[in-house]
Amino acid sequence: MNHKPGKYKVKDIKLAAEGDRLIDWAESRMPVMTALRKEYSRTKPLKGYRIAGCLHVTKETAVLVKTLVAAGAQVSWSGCNPLSTNDAVAASLANQGISIFAWHGMNVKEFYWCIEETLKFKPNLTLDDGADLIFTIHKNHPEFAEKYVIGGTEETTTGVHRLRAMAADGALKYPVIAVNDAETKWDFDNVYGTGQSTLDGILRATSVLLAGKNIVVAGYGHCGKGVGVRAQGLGANVIATEVKPTAALKATLDGMRVMKMDEAAKIGDIFITATGVKDIIVKRHFERMKDGAIVCNTGHYDCEINLVDLEKLTKSKRLIRDNNIEYTLKNGKRIYVLAEGRLVNLAAAEGHPSEVMDMSFANQFLSQVRLAVAHRKGQRLEDGVHDISAAQDQEIAGVKLKTMGYSIDKLTPEQRKYQDDYSAGT
Ligand code: 3DD
């Protein structure tokens, strides 16, 4: 896999050997990605294409990067969150000749510097998580959409929402495939991945008992549901807050209490925001919280917990554990904020388990191939947001099931005929 060394900036290249081992561990649990790499390293459909990636640098992302390179792509990579890069994994990729600019704990200025570094090789494909890369291209290099970029992919709910808004405004100047909206991503990564990894992040940063605790989940979408159901499994009393009636109703039927944040603030022990919206927990909520309340976020951006409000109420603060800052308020109470209000699952743990990222990244990989193959045939997709095909979803789920040793039934020709025969009533 070693090819001419790319330029890179990582925390410490000497961590490469540790990163190699972490990537091997992830790879051993990503059979769909290893099957895709085996198939496409022969045909190399991405040969001649330059992919700029902006996605959390984790052991699972490294498997995606290596698969893209095996399929012929040249890759330049940055992390999509200042706190989510695993420095050993970044070192391993750099040591294998990948052009990568990512380290844990960068500031916002450095974050955008890294993105700009990946744009120096004039990518024709982009691979994004949160749309910061795509937005930076449109803002700082608008000519790229015309001159170089043939298309992109977007990993997360918030990013797709942002891109659909751009497209509605006529501001999106190249085609982007909404990987997040694939069933084999949204219904698995967001639910089971976020569910487990968020609790993983909370436990690594606090090591508190979850059983018996009042856990307030703000936002009962795919992510919030995943967190709430898993927290129940560990014995927590889960409260959901929502603005969407159907989502709130689902929470009640899943056995959770539903109330306004103004009420939940008084009784919650642990607060987890998963809404994608800003100012979910603000000053009046902090004022009502119990002494010792733990607050964290698992939404993509760090806008959901208003830390400016919290600072106004604070007498002093200290780093009490890794990824855990104790704020002592003027009213004498203590509030613990995890991962600086950023994605707790990636900043305080390792993100979703490899088994679910296997399918998310199979969608990323196949979508990049789809864009390249269409381009090679002179069929550039139209500007805007495009969905994954239902066929791709079923193909990925089928491969996954097979690797898990499961086989399923198949409709007979008669059953297929019955399904489509509208005259066959009662
Ligand atoms: N995300 C969560 N865990 C991840 C991991 N282990 N590697 C890379 C990215 C990871 C974030 C994505 O799941 C993205 O789908 C999201 O934020 O929704």
Side-chain angles (χ1 to χ4, degrees), residues 30 55-62 64 80 84 128-130 154-158 179-180 185 189-190 193-194 197 223 298-300 343 345-346 350-354 356-357 360-361 364:
M30 297 174 80
L55 199 151
H56 306 287
V57 179
T58 66
K59 57 191 188 295
E60 291 78 16
T61 299
L64 170 61
C80 67
S84 64
D128 217 332
D129 185 334
E154 170 53 46
E155 172 79 6
T156 197
T157 314
T158 307
V179 166
N180 179 76
K185 193 273 175 182
D189 166 317
N190 297 37
T194 309
S197 63
C223 295
T298 199
H300 184 79
L343 280 157
N345 60 334
L346 282 146
E350 298 172 47
H352 304 348
S354 308
V356 282
M357 295 315 298
S360 300
F361 288 164
Q364 279 286 3

Side-chain angles (χ1 to χ4, degrees), residues 53-58 61 78-85 108 111-112 115 127-135 153-163 180 185 189-190 194 197-198 218 223-224 227 272-278 280 296-305 338-347 352 357 361 364:
C54 181
L55 199 151
H56 306 287
V57 179
T58 66
T61 299
S78 63
C80 67
N81 183 288
L83 297 181
S84 64
T85 291
V108 173
F111 173 82
Y112 284 101
I115 289 181
L127 193 156
D128 217 332
D129 185 334
D132 282 326
L133 170 61
I134 295 176
F135 196 74
T153 52
E154 170 53 46
E155 172 79 6
T156 197
T157 314
T158 307
V160 169
H161 190 88
R162 197 177 175 193
L163 292 168
N180 179 76
K185 193 273 175 182
D189 166 317
N190 297 37
T194 309
S197 63
T198 299
C223 295
V227 174
I272 305 165
T273 58
T275 69
V277 180
K278 71 173 187 172
I280 298 303
C296 67
N297 163 57
T298 199
H300 184 79
Y301 295 122
D302 65 338
C303 62
E304 306 200 26
I305 301 164
L338 309 186
E340 301 170 29
R342 290 191 179 280
L343 280 157
V344 68
N345 60 334
L346 282 146
H352 304 348
M357 295 315 298
F361 288 164
Q364 279 286 3

